[in-house]
Structures are given as C-alpha cells and as structure tokens.
C-alpha cells in the first residue's frame, strides 16, 4: 500500500467536535524563544500561503517531458478567468524567504504567465516524502504517459532513491517498475525527447520500437520522419510516424538468404553435365542421372575416391607451394 502524502491540514478542536484524549498542555510563556519558534513552525507547516512566484525555485526530478506547451497557455487562461483553484505544494528552502517546489510545476508556470501570487501549501518534507508527494499528486491530477513514468523511474534510480520510495511515488509494484525500466534502457538517448510524452502509447508499443534499435538507427530515422511533419503534430502521432518509418527501414534492410552462385557445366559438345553451386557455406556438384545415366552411375561409384584424390592433390600443391 502506497503511503498517502496528501493528508489535509489538521482541523482545530472547535471544528472536530471530539474531545482531546489528553489534557492540553499549558502554553509556554513568551520568554521561551525556542518554544515559540517551534510553535510557529507547527502552525505554518500545513498552511496555505500566497507566495510570489519568484520566491519559488524549481526543484527535484522532472516528471514531465513537456512543461512549456499549449496546455500551459490554456491553464493560464483558466486561472486568469477563475483564479487558482488548487494550490501547489512547496517546502522551505535553506535560504530565507525562498521555497522549493514539490508539485504543481504546470500551475506555477501558468501563474508566471498570468502574474500575481501563487497559492501554495508549505510543508517541511524530506527528499523521500517530497518525491512521493510529487509522484502521487501527478498520478491523481494528470496521469503521466508510460514513457514519462519510465524516464522518471530511471532518474529516481540514478539519484539513489530506494525501490520502496519509487514504488510509492508512482503507485507501482516492483514488477511494474521493472517493466518501465526494461523499455527505457533499450531506447537510444534523445529519441524520447524527439517524440515527446506520447500519451496513449503504452509499454507494448514502446517495446516494439525499442526492439528495432538492434536493426536500424532509430534516432536518425526519427529525425528524418519528424522533419516531414508539421510542428504542431501531436506527440502520439509523432510516435506512430517514427515507428512506421523505423519498421519500414528494418524490413528493407533485411538481407535475402544467400542462395549461392550456380553455374552449368557443359562438355566439349555443349551438352549439360551438371550444375555447380557455391555459397558461403558449401560447394555442391549436382549431376542429373536422367540426362547422363551412365556418367551418373560411374560418378556414384567413384565419387568418394575422386574426392579423396582431389583432396590429396590440393594438399600436395599446398605443400609444394610453401
């Protein structure tokens, strides 16, 4: 069961209506600076604040291939008309009056276009908890594509996050994480960035494209295929165009079986004695008994001795030439 990072801020006692299980402790006097500081931290840990976007630093691992796209413009227009309906989440930075984003990168980018402050939940979370919050919130709001999850998993693993944290972040089993990683490891660097997130394209289709990497240069073919498409082509259509081009190239470069070179052997009168076939694996002499029944019978009786004689002749010539 994945850990839930999205607990709502605790309600005060008047909202809950339930008696406190233990008598409340006496408030510390203002003389205790440490106690006052701790109390302020507790009060603000789960609060929603209005923060200037310039105070928020982009932090953590990227879980989206595309951030600045048309969907950001649409989100910005929605926020301009209706206001920010859902807060982002940040955590305090080591620098005063600065914050590190946990999730809500698209909303932050949209508000930077619109102008004004951004509503943010401020929480003090460590790196593991921040990563889990980021992954779970994205899964709930806008499900990342298969390949975006695969890239995110690779980045988390390369950054040293433990398997349990990665599974919790994306709500995947250990096998699910492995399925994503197997595909991304087969794809050449740069190919995914050319195609984009490709929503709707799943593991099987990406796996089929990855399998072609042993036959053709996927990146070069992708660049050529995508150059012929309009700039605003949806990412999923880009994938289909690249896959089609790579499949076609792989089929055209498949070498036909080498059947060898066959020549007809004729006697001094021009009559056919047989055929000689030579390829990279064998030398075959074929004599049709129907056309030359007597010679065919003689060759059958002397074939072994003749072959041995030819081999002895070759060995003698090889020895004399050395």
């Amino acid at each position: 069961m994945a850990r839930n990072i999205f607990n709502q801020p605790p309600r005060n006692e008047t909202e809950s209506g339930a008696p406190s299980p233990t008598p409340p402790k006496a408030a510390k006097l203002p003389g205790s600076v440490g106690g006052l500081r701790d109390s302020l931290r507790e009060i603000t840990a789960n609060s929603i604040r209005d923060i200037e976007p310039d105070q928020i630093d982009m932090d953590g691992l990227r879980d989206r291939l595309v951030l600045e796209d048309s969907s950001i413009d649409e989100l910005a227009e929605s926020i301009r008309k209706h206001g920010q309906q859902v807060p982002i989440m940040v955590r305090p930075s080591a620098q005063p009056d600065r914050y590190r984003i946990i999730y809500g990168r698209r909303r932050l980018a949209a508000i930077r276009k619109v102008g004004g402050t951004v509503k943010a939940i401020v929480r003090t979370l460590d790196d593991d908890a921040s990563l889990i919050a980021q992954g779970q919130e994205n899964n709930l709001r806008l499900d990342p594509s298969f390949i975006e999850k695969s890239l995110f998993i690779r980045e988390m693993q390369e950054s040293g996050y433990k398997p349990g944290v990665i599974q919790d972040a994306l709500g995947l089993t250990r096998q699910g994480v492995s399925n994503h990683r197997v595909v991304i490891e087969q794809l050449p660097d740069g190919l995914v960035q050319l195609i984009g997130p490709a929503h709707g394209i799943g593991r099987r289709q990406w796996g089929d494209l990855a399998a072609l990497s042993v036959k053709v240069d996927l990146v070069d073919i992708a660049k050529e295929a995508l150059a012929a498409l309009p700039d605003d082509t949806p990412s999923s259509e880009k994938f289909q165009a690249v896959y089609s081009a790579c499949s076609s190239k792989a089929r055209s470069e498949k070498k036909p079986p080498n059947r060898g070179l066959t020549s007809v052997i004729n006697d001094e009168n021009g009559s056919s004695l047989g055929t000689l076939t030579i390829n990279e694996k064998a030398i075959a002499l074929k004599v049709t008994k129907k056309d030359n029944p007597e010679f065919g019978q003689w060759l059958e009786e002397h074939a072994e001795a003749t072959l041995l004689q030819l081999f002895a002749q070759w060995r003698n010539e090889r020895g004399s030439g050395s």
Side-chain angles (χ1 to χ4, degrees), residues 60-87:
L61 304 180
R62 284 286 299 272
D63 50 20
R64 301 287 176 190
L65 277 171
V66 179
L67 187 60
E68 295 292 341
D69 59 3
S70 59
S71 67
I72 300 296
D73 294 331
E74 294 172 2
L75 182 57
E77 183 60 27
S78 175
I79 291 175
R80 182 180 291 110
K81 291 181 178 179
H82 309 291
Q84 180 187 352
Q85 301 298 312
V86 180

PDB file of all heavy atoms in Angstrom, residues 60-87:
ATOM      1  N   GLY A  60      13.922  19.267  -7.509  1.00  0.00           N
ATOM      2  CA  GLY A  60      13.581  17.856  -7.634  1.00  0.00           C
ATOM      3  C   GLY A  60      13.717  17.359  -9.059  1.00  0.00           C
ATOM      4  O   GLY A  60      14.241  18.023  -9.953  1.00  0.00           O
ATOM      5  N   LEU A  61      13.214  16.148  -9.304  1.00  0.00           N
ATOM      6  CA  LEU A  61      13.336  15.495 -10.600  1.00  0.00           C
ATOM      7  C   LEU A  61      12.184  15.897 -11.513  1.00  0.00           C
ATOM      8  O   LEU A  61      11.054  16.059 -11.061  1.00  0.00           O
ATOM      9  CB  LEU A  61      13.344  13.970 -10.416  1.00  0.00           C
ATOM     10  CG  LEU A  61      14.416  13.422  -9.474  1.00  0.00           C
ATOM     11  CD1 LEU A  61      14.297  11.912  -9.381  1.00  0.00           C
ATOM     12  CD2 LEU A  61      15.808  13.820  -9.947  1.00  0.00           C
ATOM     13  N   ARG A  62      12.486  16.018 -12.796  1.00  0.00           N
ATOM     14  CA  ARG A  62      11.446  16.328 -13.772  1.00  0.00           C
ATOM     15  C   ARG A  62      10.604  15.092 -14.023  1.00  0.00           C
ATOM     16  O   ARG A  62      11.121  14.015 -14.293  1.00  0.00           O
ATOM     17  CB  ARG A  62      12.082  16.789 -15.077  1.00  0.00           C
ATOM     18  CG  ARG A  62      12.630  18.195 -15.067  1.00  0.00           C
ATOM     19  CD  ARG A  62      11.534  19.234 -15.102  1.00  0.00           C
ATOM     20  NE  ARG A  62      10.729  19.118 -16.292  1.00  0.00           N
ATOM     21  CZ  ARG A  62      10.997  19.715 -17.450  1.00  0.00           C
ATOM     22  NH1 ARG A  62      12.077  20.475 -17.556  1.00  0.00           N
ATOM     23  NH2 ARG A  62      10.212  19.565 -18.495  1.00  0.00           N
ATOM     24  N   ASP A  63       9.295  15.230 -13.954  1.00  0.00           N
ATOM     25  CA  ASP A  63       8.407  14.106 -14.226  1.00  0.00           C
ATOM     26  C   ASP A  63       7.577  14.344 -15.473  1.00  0.00           C
ATOM     27  O   ASP A  63       6.663  13.587 -15.770  1.00  0.00           O
ATOM     28  CB  ASP A  63       7.476  13.846 -13.024  1.00  0.00           C
ATOM     29  CG  ASP A  63       6.785  15.120 -12.552  1.00  0.00           C
ATOM     30  OD1 ASP A  63       6.713  16.082 -13.336  1.00  0.00           O
ATOM     31  OD2 ASP A  63       6.326  15.144 -11.398  1.00  0.00           O
ATOM     32  N   ARG A  64       7.873  15.406 -16.197  1.00  0.00           N
ATOM     33  CA  ARG A  64       7.185  15.722 -17.441  1.00  0.00           C
ATOM     34  C   ARG A  64       8.220  15.988 -18.519  1.00  0.00           C
ATOM     35  O   ARG A  64       9.239  16.632 -18.282  1.00  0.00           O
ATOM     36  CB  ARG A  64       6.309  16.971 -17.288  1.00  0.00           C
ATOM     37  CG  ARG A  64       5.248  16.852 -16.212  1.00  0.00           C
ATOM     38  CD  ARG A  64       4.128  15.949 -16.636  1.00  0.00           C
ATOM     39  NE  ARG A  64       3.161  15.781 -15.543  1.00  0.00           N
ATOM     40  CZ  ARG A  64       2.175  14.906 -15.557  1.00  0.00           C
ATOM     41  NH1 ARG A  64       2.025  14.116 -16.604  1.00  0.00           N
ATOM     42  NH2 ARG A  64       1.355  14.794 -14.541  1.00  0.00           N
ATOM     43  N   LEU A  65       7.939  15.505 -19.739  1.00  0.00           N
ATOM     44  CA  LEU A  65       8.817  15.804 -20.852  1.00  0.00           C
ATOM     45  C   LEU A  65       8.567  17.210 -21.382  1.00  0.00           C
ATOM     46  O   LEU A  65       9.470  17.880 -21.843  1.00  0.00           O
ATOM     47  CB  LEU A  65       8.578  14.797 -21.985  1.00  0.00           C
ATOM     48  CG  LEU A  65       9.301  13.461 -21.853  1.00  0.00           C
ATOM     49  CD1 LEU A  65       8.805  12.492 -22.900  1.00  0.00           C
ATOM     50  CD2 LEU A  65      10.794  13.652 -21.973  1.00  0.00           C
ATOM     51  N   VAL A  66       7.316  17.655 -21.315  1.00  0.00           N
ATOM     52  CA  VAL A  66       6.945  18.950 -21.852  1.00  0.00           C
ATOM     53  C   VAL A  66       6.310  19.773 -20.753  1.00  0.00           C
ATOM     54  O   VAL A  66       5.361  19.340 -20.104  1.00  0.00           O
ATOM     55  CB  VAL A  66       5.944  18.811 -23.020  1.00  0.00           C
ATOM     56  CG1 VAL A  66       5.547  20.187 -23.549  1.00  0.00           C
ATOM     57  CG2 VAL A  66       6.550  17.973 -24.134  1.00  0.00           C
ATOM     58  N   LEU A  67       6.876  20.951 -20.501  1.00  0.00           N
ATOM     59  CA  LEU A  67       6.298  21.843 -19.499  1.00  0.00           C
ATOM     60  C   LEU A  67       5.721  23.082 -20.161  1.00  0.00           C
ATOM     61  O   LEU A  67       4.587  23.461 -19.928  1.00  0.00           O
ATOM     62  CB  LEU A  67       7.360  22.242 -18.468  1.00  0.00           C
ATOM     63  CG  LEU A  67       6.856  23.035 -17.262  1.00  0.00           C
ATOM     64  CD1 LEU A  67       5.821  22.238 -16.492  1.00  0.00           C
ATOM     65  CD2 LEU A  67       8.013  23.415 -16.352  1.00  0.00           C
ATOM     66  N   GLU A  68       6.516  23.730 -20.996  1.00  0.00           N
ATOM     67  CA  GLU A  68       6.033  24.927 -21.676  1.00  0.00           C
ATOM     68  C   GLU A  68       5.381  24.517 -23.001  1.00  0.00           C
ATOM     69  O   GLU A  68       6.013  24.424 -24.024  1.00  0.00           O
ATOM     70  CB  GLU A  68       7.197  25.897 -21.927  1.00  0.00           C
ATOM     71  CG  GLU A  68       7.812  26.451 -20.657  1.00  0.00           C
ATOM     72  CD  GLU A  68       6.869  27.387 -19.914  1.00  0.00           C
ATOM     73  OE1 GLU A  68       5.916  27.889 -20.539  1.00  0.00           O
ATOM     74  OE2 GLU A  68       7.089  27.616 -18.727  1.00  0.00           O
ATOM     75  N   ASP A  69       4.090  24.269 -22.998  1.00  0.00           N
ATOM     76  CA  ASP A  69       3.394  23.891 -24.215  1.00  0.00           C
ATOM     77  C   ASP A  69       2.037  24.577 -24.246  1.00  0.00           C
ATOM     78  O   ASP A  69       1.727  25.427 -23.418  1.00  0.00           O
ATOM     79  CB  ASP A  69       3.263  22.371 -24.341  1.00  0.00           C
ATOM     80  CG  ASP A  69       2.501  21.767 -23.161  1.00  0.00           C
ATOM     81  OD1 ASP A  69       2.042  22.542 -22.297  1.00  0.00           O
ATOM     82  OD2 ASP A  69       2.361  20.547 -23.117  1.00  0.00           O
ATOM     83  N   SER A  70       1.220  24.201 -25.189  1.00  0.00           N
ATOM     84  CA  SER A  70      -0.078  24.851 -25.338  1.00  0.00           C
ATOM     85  C   SER A  70      -0.964  24.641 -24.123  1.00  0.00           C
ATOM     86  O   SER A  70      -1.811  25.484 -23.808  1.00  0.00           O
ATOM     87  CB  SER A  70      -0.779  24.326 -26.598  1.00  0.00           C
ATOM     88  OG  SER A  70      -0.960  22.915 -26.523  1.00  0.00           O
ATOM     89  N   SER A  71      -0.793  23.520 -23.420  1.00  0.00           N
ATOM     90  CA  SER A  71      -1.630  23.270 -22.248  1.00  0.00           C
ATOM     91  C   SER A  71      -1.352  24.269 -21.134  1.00  0.00           C
ATOM     92  O   SER A  71      -2.229  24.584 -20.333  1.00  0.00           O
ATOM     93  CB  SER A  71      -1.416  21.840 -21.740  1.00  0.00           C
ATOM     94  OG  SER A  71      -0.111  21.680 -21.229  1.00  0.00           O
ATOM     95  N   ILE A  72      -0.120  24.787 -21.065  1.00  0.00           N
ATOM     96  CA  ILE A  72       0.200  25.819 -20.079  1.00  0.00           C
ATOM     97  C   ILE A  72      -0.571  27.102 -20.395  1.00  0.00           C
ATOM     98  O   ILE A  72      -1.094  27.764 -19.502  1.00  0.00           O
ATOM     99  CB  ILE A  72       1.715  26.087 -20.049  1.00  0.00           C
ATOM    100  CG1 ILE A  72       2.483  24.821 -19.670  1.00  0.00           C
ATOM    101  CG2 ILE A  72       2.041  27.215 -19.071  1.00  0.00           C
ATOM    102  CD1 ILE A  72       2.199  24.313 -18.286  1.00  0.00           C
ATOM    103  N   ASP A  73      -0.651  27.451 -21.687  1.00  0.00           N
ATOM    104  CA  ASP A  73      -1.414  28.637 -22.085  1.00  0.00           C
ATOM    105  C   ASP A  73      -2.884  28.474 -21.733  1.00  0.00           C
ATOM    106  O   ASP A  73      -3.538  29.421 -21.263  1.00  0.00           O
ATOM    107  CB  ASP A  73      -1.259  28.881 -23.588  1.00  0.00           C
ATOM    108  CG  ASP A  73       0.169  29.264 -23.970  1.00  0.00           C
ATOM    109  OD1 ASP A  73       0.860  29.858 -23.120  1.00  0.00           O
ATOM    110  OD2 ASP A  73       0.584  28.947 -25.101  1.00  0.00           O
ATOM    111  N   GLU A  74      -3.427  27.280 -21.962  1.00  0.00           N
ATOM    112  CA  GLU A  74      -4.831  27.032 -21.624  1.00  0.00           C
ATOM    113  C   GLU A  74      -5.053  27.121 -20.119  1.00  0.00           C
ATOM    114  O   GLU A  74      -6.055  27.688 -19.658  1.00  0.00           O
ATOM    115  CB  GLU A  74      -5.245  25.648 -22.135  1.00  0.00           C
ATOM    116  CG  GLU A  74      -5.239  25.523 -23.657  1.00  0.00           C
ATOM    117  CD  GLU A  74      -5.468  24.100 -24.110  1.00  0.00           C
ATOM    118  OE1 GLU A  74      -5.663  23.224 -23.231  1.00  0.00           O
ATOM    119  OE2 GLU A  74      -5.454  23.855 -25.329  1.00  0.00           O
ATOM    120  N   LEU A  75      -4.116  26.565 -19.348  1.00  0.00           N
ATOM    121  CA  LEU A  75      -4.234  26.630 -17.899  1.00  0.00           C
ATOM    122  C   LEU A  75      -4.122  28.071 -17.412  1.00  0.00           C
ATOM    123  O   LEU A  75      -4.845  28.499 -16.507  1.00  0.00           O
ATOM    124  CB  LEU A  75      -3.153  25.760 -17.254  1.00  0.00           C
ATOM    125  CG  LEU A  75      -3.145  25.671 -15.727  1.00  0.00           C
ATOM    126  CD1 LEU A  75      -4.486  25.170 -15.194  1.00  0.00           C
ATOM    127  CD2 LEU A  75      -2.010  24.767 -15.248  1.00  0.00           C
ATOM    128  N   ALA A  76      -3.223  28.841 -18.027  1.00  0.00           N
ATOM    129  CA  ALA A  76      -3.074  30.246 -17.650  1.00  0.00           C
ATOM    130  C   ALA A  76      -4.350  31.023 -17.921  1.00  0.00           C
ATOM    131  O   ALA A  76      -4.777  31.861 -17.104  1.00  0.00           O
ATOM    132  CB  ALA A  76      -1.900  30.861 -18.423  1.00  0.00           C
ATOM    133  N   GLU A  77      -5.007  30.755 -19.041  1.00  0.00           N
ATOM    134  CA  GLU A  77      -6.256  31.444 -19.361  1.00  0.00           C
ATOM    135  C   GLU A  77      -7.357  31.068 -18.369  1.00  0.00           C
ATOM    136  O   GLU A  77      -8.158  31.923 -17.952  1.00  0.00           O
ATOM    137  CB  GLU A  77      -6.684  31.078 -20.789  1.00  0.00           C
ATOM    138  CG  GLU A  77      -7.945  31.780 -21.271  1.00  0.00           C
ATOM    139  CD  GLU A  77      -7.809  33.285 -21.287  1.00  0.00           C
ATOM    140  OE1 GLU A  77      -6.663  33.782 -21.423  1.00  0.00           O
ATOM    141  OE2 GLU A  77      -8.840  33.976 -21.162  1.00  0.00           O
ATOM    142  N   SER A  78      -7.399  29.800 -17.964  1.00  0.00           N
ATOM    143  CA  SER A  78      -8.383  29.362 -16.969  1.00  0.00           C
ATOM    144  C   SER A  78      -8.156  30.061 -15.634  1.00  0.00           C
ATOM    145  O   SER A  78      -9.107  30.496 -14.969  1.00  0.00           O
ATOM    146  CB  SER A  78      -8.309  27.840 -16.807  1.00  0.00           C
ATOM    147  OG  SER A  78      -9.170  27.398 -15.771  1.00  0.00           O
ATOM    148  N   ILE A  79      -6.886  30.162 -15.221  1.00  0.00           N
ATOM    149  CA  ILE A  79      -6.575  30.817 -13.956  1.00  0.00           C
ATOM    150  C   ILE A  79      -6.895  32.318 -14.042  1.00  0.00           C
ATOM    151  O   ILE A  79      -7.377  32.921 -13.075  1.00  0.00           O
ATOM    152  CB  ILE A  79      -5.100  30.582 -13.584  1.00  0.00           C
ATOM    153  CG1 ILE A  79      -4.887  29.101 -13.236  1.00  0.00           C
ATOM    154  CG2 ILE A  79      -4.665  31.461 -12.418  1.00  0.00           C
ATOM    155  CD1 ILE A  79      -3.440  28.720 -12.973  1.00  0.00           C
ATOM    156  N   ARG A  80      -6.682  32.901 -15.197  1.00  0.00           N
ATOM    157  CA  ARG A  80      -6.988  34.318 -15.377  1.00  0.00           C
ATOM    158  C   ARG A  80      -8.490  34.563 -15.193  1.00  0.00           C
ATOM    159  O   ARG A  80      -8.913  35.571 -14.619  1.00  0.00           O
ATOM    160  CB  ARG A  80      -6.550  34.777 -16.764  1.00  0.00           C
ATOM    161  CG  ARG A  80      -6.800  36.273 -17.013  1.00  0.00           C
ATOM    162  CD  ARG A  80      -6.354  36.684 -18.399  1.00  0.00           C
ATOM    163  NE  ARG A  80      -4.906  36.641 -18.544  1.00  0.00           N
ATOM    164  CZ  ARG A  80      -4.245  35.762 -19.272  1.00  0.00           C
ATOM    165  NH1 ARG A  80      -4.906  34.807 -19.917  1.00  0.00           N
ATOM    166  NH2 ARG A  80      -2.940  35.799 -19.349  1.00  0.00           N
ATOM    167  N   LYS A  81      -9.317  33.631 -15.675  1.00  0.00           N
ATOM    168  CA  LYS A  81     -10.767  33.801 -15.594  1.00  0.00           C
ATOM    169  C   LYS A  81     -11.327  33.402 -14.230  1.00  0.00           C
ATOM    170  O   LYS A  81     -12.210  34.084 -13.689  1.00  0.00           O
ATOM    171  CB  LYS A  81     -11.447  32.949 -16.677  1.00  0.00           C
ATOM    172  CG  LYS A  81     -11.217  33.445 -18.089  1.00  0.00           C
ATOM    173  CD  LYS A  81     -11.946  32.548 -19.083  1.00  0.00           C
ATOM    174  CE  LYS A  81     -11.774  33.046 -20.517  1.00  0.00           C
ATOM    175  NZ  LYS A  81     -12.466  32.154 -21.502  1.00  0.00           N
ATOM    176  N   HIS A  82     -10.846  32.300 -13.680  1.00  0.00           N
ATOM    177  CA  HIS A  82     -11.490  31.723 -12.499  1.00  0.00           C
ATOM    178  C   HIS A  82     -10.612  31.724 -11.253  1.00  0.00           C
ATOM    179  O   HIS A  82     -11.081  31.341 -10.174  1.00  0.00           O
ATOM    180  CB  HIS A  82     -11.919  30.274 -12.795  1.00  0.00           C
ATOM    181  CG  HIS A  82     -12.719  30.130 -14.048  1.00  0.00           C
ATOM    182  ND1 HIS A  82     -14.002  30.617 -14.171  1.00  0.00           N
ATOM    183  CD2 HIS A  82     -12.410  29.555 -15.244  1.00  0.00           C
ATOM    184  CE1 HIS A  82     -14.465  30.337 -15.394  1.00  0.00           C
ATOM    185  NE2 HIS A  82     -13.510  29.693 -16.060  1.00  0.00           N
ATOM    186  N   GLY A  83      -9.370  32.138 -11.394  1.00  0.00           N
ATOM    187  CA  GLY A  83      -8.471  32.101 -10.262  1.00  0.00           C
ATOM    188  C   GLY A  83      -7.856  30.727 -10.082  1.00  0.00           C
ATOM    189  O   GLY A  83      -8.266  29.744 -10.700  1.00  0.00           O
ATOM    190  N   GLN A  84      -6.847  30.643  -9.219  1.00  0.00           N
ATOM    191  CA  GLN A  84      -6.179  29.377  -8.945  1.00  0.00           C
ATOM    192  C   GLN A  84      -7.040  28.553  -7.993  1.00  0.00           C
ATOM    193  O   GLN A  84      -7.235  28.907  -6.838  1.00  0.00           O
ATOM    194  CB  GLN A  84      -4.789  29.615  -8.337  1.00  0.00           C
ATOM    195  CG  GLN A  84      -4.016  28.340  -8.031  1.00  0.00           C
ATOM    196  CD  GLN A  84      -2.723  28.602  -7.281  1.00  0.00           C
ATOM    197  OE1 GLN A  84      -2.316  29.755  -7.109  1.00  0.00           O
ATOM    198  NE2 GLN A  84      -2.084  27.537  -6.818  1.00  0.00           N
ATOM    199  N   GLN A  85      -7.563  27.435  -8.480  1.00  0.00           N
ATOM    200  CA  GLN A  85      -8.475  26.617  -7.687  1.00  0.00           C
ATOM    201  C   GLN A  85      -7.757  25.604  -6.796  1.00  0.00           C
ATOM    202  O   GLN A  85      -8.263  25.225  -5.747  1.00  0.00           O
ATOM    203  CB  GLN A  85      -9.433  25.862  -8.629  1.00  0.00           C
ATOM    204  CG  GLN A  85     -10.264  26.765  -9.516  1.00  0.00           C
ATOM    205  CD  GLN A  85     -11.179  27.674  -8.718  1.00  0.00           C
ATOM    206  OE1 GLN A  85     -11.878  27.226  -7.804  1.00  0.00           O
ATOM    207  NE2 GLN A  85     -11.162  28.965  -9.045  1.00  0.00           N
ATOM    208  N   VAL A  86      -6.589  25.170  -7.219  1.00  0.00           N
ATOM    209  CA  VAL A  86      -5.862  24.131  -6.478  1.00  0.00           C
ATOM    210  C   VAL A  86      -4.469  24.653  -6.146  1.00  0.00           C
ATOM    211  O   VAL A  86      -3.735  25.083  -7.040  1.00  0.00           O
ATOM    212  CB  VAL A  86      -5.752  22.824  -7.291  1.00  0.00           C
ATOM    213  CG1 VAL A  86      -5.009  21.762  -6.508  1.00  0.00           C
ATOM    214  CG2 VAL A  86      -7.130  22.327  -7.704  1.00  0.00           C
ATOM    215  N   PRO A  87      -4.072  24.636  -4.878  1.00  0.00           N
ATOM    216  CA  PRO A  87      -2.744  25.139  -4.519  1.00  0.00           C
ATOM    217  C   PRO A  87      -1.639  24.190  -4.971  1.00  0.00           C
ATOM    218  O   PRO A  87      -1.867  22.998  -5.191  1.00  0.00           O
ATOM    219  CB  PRO A  87      -2.796  25.236  -2.998  1.00  0.00           C
ATOM    220  CG  PRO A  87      -3.804  24.207  -2.602  1.00  0.00           C
ATOM    221  CD  PRO A  87      -4.837  24.193  -3.701  1.00  0.00           C
TER     222      PRO A  87
END
